[in-house]
Amino acid sequence: MDVRSQSCDYLRDGNVVVCTAGPGNFEPPEYVRARVTGRSATYLVRFNGGCWSCTCKDVDCPHVAAVQMVTGHPSLARKAATR
């Protein structure tokens, strides 16, 4: 399954919980801490200092992509622009 499909599944199933996020002032937040319940474990996702990380350590992480969509950050899971 691709990153977009997995990320959308996590969101649709209610498996993404943003624990803390801030400040953003109508922009994506500068820091984020979230929990994503995956297929085999619960993963911790963090954004701080411009860097995303997840406890799964996958390069194309669907957990990070799901949290990015919720918080308004650019994401691998976003639909491609259509012209």
Side-chain angles (χ1 to χ4, degrees):
M1 190 180 289
D2 66 355
V3 172
R4 178 173 165 67
S5 297
Q6 285 180 322
S7 299
C8 289
D9 281 353
Y10 294 138
L11 292 170
R12 187 174 31 256
D13 294 342
N15 292 336
V16 178
V17 176
V18 176
C19 302
T20 52
N25 300 327
F26 302 105
E27 297 293 326
E30 296 172 12
Y31 68 86
V32 177
R33 287 190 179 177
R35 185 178 65 241
V36 180
T37 304
R39 289 173 170 56
S40 60
T42 298
Y43 301 96
L44 302 177
V45 175
R46 291 190 174 136
F47 176 70
N48 196 8
C51 295
W52 286 95
S53 66
C54 178
T55 53
C56 81
K57 306 209 187 295
D58 190 357
V59 175
D60 293 329
C61 177
H63 315 109
V64 166
V67 174
Q68 288 170 328
M69 286 199 312
V70 168
T71 59
H73 285 273
S75 170
L76 287 174
R78 284 189 188 262
K79 258 187 172 174
T82 56
R83 292 183 180 225

